[in-house]
Amino acid sequence: MRKALLSTVAALAIILPIHAQAAEIDQAGADQIKEKLTYYLPKDVVDTGFLKVTPAANRYELSVDLMPLLKDVKKDVFTINGLKPFVHYLTPQDGGMWKVEVNDNFDVNGSFTAEGKKQDFTYKIDRMVFDGMFDPSISYFTTGKYSIDKVKMTTTGGEANIDMSMDTMSADMKGDKVADGIVDLSGTMAMANLTETIVDKTNNVVISANSMTGTIEAKRLGINALRDLLVFGLDLVKADVQKLDQAQADKLKTLIKANVPFTDKFDEQLKFDGVKVSAQGMDVSLESFTYGIGFTGLKKDASARFNMGMTKPVIPASLLPPGTEGAVPESANFAVAISNLDLEGVVNYMVEHADFTKPEPLTPEQNAAIGKIVLPDGKMHIEFTDVFAKNAVYDLSLAGNMQVNPDDSDKPIVDVTITARDLDKTIKYLQDNAAKVPEFGQASFMVLMMKGFGKAEGDTIVWNVKLDETGKVMINGQEMKI
């Protein structure tokens, strides 16, 4: 099973690494494609005939039939109906490229037994379409578009019944070769009308989103170096290597080193519109929800970023303490990055010191040394880049940085700037609602006091707050005695 799973990954990584000749469509070419795609699969899997490549008039037909792989599965454990072969069309192009096309559908049902309970399932996709141009020299698609229409999935009979549906999902991807083995990847994603219903013995939860849009980007991605590392691992699995010899360990180090810096930039951003969660007779909704991650590669000064935001939340009054309805933000965002990570130094240390011929390549002391390398000055550097919360009675934002020693987290170094607009509105709101929410009375006093420490810039109050390792606090350059 381990080999089969890894082989699936290999097929994605090295699919059709053969030179295409648009004028030649024959059985020899079909046999070569099949051999490439099944190279890492166990012989007993290949012998089932689940994969067939057939030459047609001007292209090859690649058929993947999963039913032969399920012939030995006991029916009281798993059954499936309606599963038919998936067909891909492969057309060689002048210059070595391959055109890959899919136009199919999916409609199956069956059952499986888990923890002694029989569960029924259905999976249905009205239409699956893919059209892309594959470049074997970079093991990736220079262009590729896919779409799926009318998705429906259900499972019943378990601890919970699940029903999921989606009208459409699509993606448009692109790969540009910028150097030998280096590509810029980019893509867009979209989805419409996602709904998931979960029903158990005590609750009925419905999660839905009107739409999703997204982007993904990787600059100067070392795709061939990654492929070579993957293929090396698969070759070891195919040869059933249990322990590396010195030559294999040295090659592994070379391949690991070749994956530095891996990419100059990776970024993924998703936005969900019309998000709604219904449970126990109550509805919580958001006009939009955003989520993103970023990474700058295996470098000496690497950083990793995370961001999350929302707009116009609607929360039932019964879930909020009386009088706090006006405190719910109309929009909020949180973006944070961990920077100054020496990831290249970690890789270099591993390549220099790791002994991959041993079950534990690094000693405990060496693992501890890596922890010190990744944080060159012994501190975790945290940057706040786009943090804010806004509504009709407050407008707050924060930017700056913090340094924390993981071994002594009680003594952080902080340098942040807090900005508040229309602060008088905030104070009035707190005072007007102090009778309903006693804590607001205390808060209004604290905000009035903090206003006095702030620096006025028009209708904006600014506080630059600094905290050093000794615990000394400075606000706008004045030391605060605590």
Side-chain angles (χ1 to χ4, degrees):
M1 179 58 71
R2 181 168 65 109
K3 290 185 178 182
L5 291 174
L6 288 172
S7 299
T8 302
V9 179
L12 296 174
I14 60 172
I15 181 175
L16 303 179
I18 56 179
H19 185 69
Q21 296 291 340
E24 300 178 6
I25 304 292
D26 53 26
Q27 188 60 49
D31 293 341
Q32 186 180 17
I33 293 171
K34 180 180 178 180
E35 181 183 356
K36 290 288 185 179
L37 293 176
T38 60
Y39 179 75
Y40 288 105
L41 290 172
K43 186 176 182 301
D44 58 342
V45 173
V46 177
D47 289 346
T48 64
F50 83 99
L51 187 144
K52 296 179 181 178
V53 182
T54 306
N58 64 342
R59 62 187 181 183
Y60 295 100
E61 294 184 5
L62 169 64
S63 173
V64 180
D65 186 0
L66 300 180
M67 285 302 294
L69 303 178
L70 302 173
K71 62 182 178 62
D72 295 328
V73 177
K74 295 181 180 180
K75 291 186 177 181
D76 60 342
V77 174
F78 180 80
T79 64
I80 190 167
N81 306 302
L83 185 61
K84 62 176 184 170
F86 295 96
V87 179
H88 304 65
Y89 299 100
L90 314 175
T91 307
Q93 309 288 303
D94 290 328
M97 306 279 277
W98 288 84
K99 185 178 178 64
V100 181
E101 299 168 276
V102 176
N103 192 336
D104 216 329
N105 56 59
F106 189 65
D107 188 357
V108 301
N109 62 79
S111 64
F112 63 93
T113 301
E115 297 181 354
K117 293 185 178 181
K118 182 180 179 181
Q119 302 180 46
D120 296 320
F121 65 85
T122 63
Y123 296 93
K124 185 176 182 179
I125 302 174
D126 281 3
R127 189 167 182 245
M128 302 182 294
V129 177
F130 178 81
D131 189 335
M133 198 67 69
F134 186 85
D135 184 351
S137 71
I138 61 173
S139 301
Y140 196 74
F141 290 90
T142 57
T143 61
K145 294 183 178 182
Y146 88 83
S147 64
I148 57 178
D149 298 331
K150 298 297 182 183
V151 179
K152 178 78 171 178
M153 304 182 202
T154 64
T155 61
T156 60
E159 293 296 328
N161 295 336
I162 301 174
D163 188 326
M164 191 279 283
S165 65
M166 179 171 53
D167 281 356
T168 62
M169 176 176 280
S170 62
D172 188 347
M173 65 187 90
K174 183 179 181 182
D176 292 321
K177 185 176 180 180
V178 296
D180 187 24
I182 306 294
V183 297
D184 285 347
L185 304 183
S186 60
T188 59
M189 301 163 281
M191 177 204 70
N193 295 328
L194 170 69
T195 301
E196 182 173 7
T197 303
I198 304 170
V199 180
D200 60 22
K201 295 178 181 179
T202 61
N203 204 359
N204 184 342
V205 180
V206 180
I207 304 169
S208 63
N210 292 339
S211 65
M212 181 276 289
T213 56
T215 60
I216 188 168
E217 178 183 41
K219 287 290 188 181
R220 296 190 62 83
L221 178 67
I223 199 164
N224 282 7
L226 178 62
R227 177 199 63 192
D228 293 344
L229 180 60
L230 173 63
V231 170
F232 173 77
L234 291 166
D235 284 338
L236 295 177
V237 173
K238 181 177 176 64
D240 198 24
V241 174
Q242 303 297 318
K243 180 181 178 181
L244 301 187
D245 59 28
Q246 192 58 54
Q248 292 167 332
D250 291 342
K251 183 176 181 179
L252 176 58
K253 289 185 176 183
T254 300
L255 293 172
I256 292 174
K257 181 69 174 177
N259 275 275
V260 174
F262 183 62
T263 184
D264 279 357
K265 172 191 174 184
F266 173 82
D267 182 77
E268 182 180 31
Q269 297 293 324
L270 300 177
K271 180 184 179 185
F272 295 84
D273 290 315
V275 179
K276 185 176 181 180
V277 179
S278 300
Q280 297 181 341
M282 294 180 290
D283 296 336
V284 176
S285 65
L286 300 171
E287 180 184 69
S288 68
F289 173 78
T290 55
Y291 167 84
I293 55 174
F295 174 57
T296 60
L298 303 173
K299 301 176 182 178
K300 287 186 177 298
D301 187 13
S303 66
R305 176 182 48 78
F306 167 79
N307 62 274
M308 181 172 61
M310 66 173 184
T311 62
K312 295 186 178 178
V314 177
I315 302 174
S318 59
L319 295 180
L320 297 170
T324 65
E325 296 84 359
V328 177
E330 292 182 0
S331 63
N333 194 74
F334 178 77
V336 62
I338 300 177
S339 61
N340 199 36
L341 303 172
D342 187 2
L343 301 183
E344 181 180 354
V346 170
V347 175
N348 289 339
Y349 184 89
M350 286 186 62
V351 168
E352 182 178 350
H353 294 89
D355 185 352
F356 289 109
T357 65
K358 296 180 178 179
E360 298 292 337
L362 295 171
T363 66
E365 293 77 15
Q366 290 170 335
N367 280 316
I370 285 180
K372 295 180 180 179
I373 292 171
V374 73
L375 301 176
D377 60 358
K379 297 182 178 65
M380 183 177 295
H381 291 248
I382 303 170
E383 298 179 3
F384 303 99
T385 56
D386 191 16
V387 180
F388 66 82
K390 303 177 183 179
N391 76 357
V393 297
Y394 60 79
D395 185 344
L396 302 172
S397 62
L398 179 147
N401 60 78
M402 178 170 65
Q403 301 175 35
V404 180
N405 184 336
D407 297 326
D408 193 6
S409 58
D410 292 336
K411 297 180 179 180
I413 300 174
V414 179
D415 185 353
V416 297
T417 297
I418 302 170
T419 303
R421 295 175 177 83
D422 295 327
L423 194 60
D424 289 340
K425 288 184 179 180
T426 307
I427 296 170
K428 185 177 185 304
Y429 168 78
L430 294 171
Q431 292 174 340
D432 289 347
N433 289 274
K436 294 180 181 178
V437 186
E439 291 83 0
F440 281 0
Q442 300 172 12
S444 66
F445 173 78
M446 292 297 296
V447 174
L448 277 169
M449 185 175 65
M450 289 302 299
K451 181 181 179 181
F453 297 132
K455 178 182 178 182
E457 297 179 356
D459 64 349
T460 300
I461 305 295
V462 177
W463 300 270
N464 175 244
V465 182
K466 294 183 179 180
L467 174 66
D468 66 17
E469 289 177 303
T470 67
K472 183 175 72 174
V473 179
M474 303 283 289
I475 298 180
N476 291 336
Q478 295 184 343
E479 183 177 354
M480 306 299 296
K481 300 297 184 181
I482 299 178

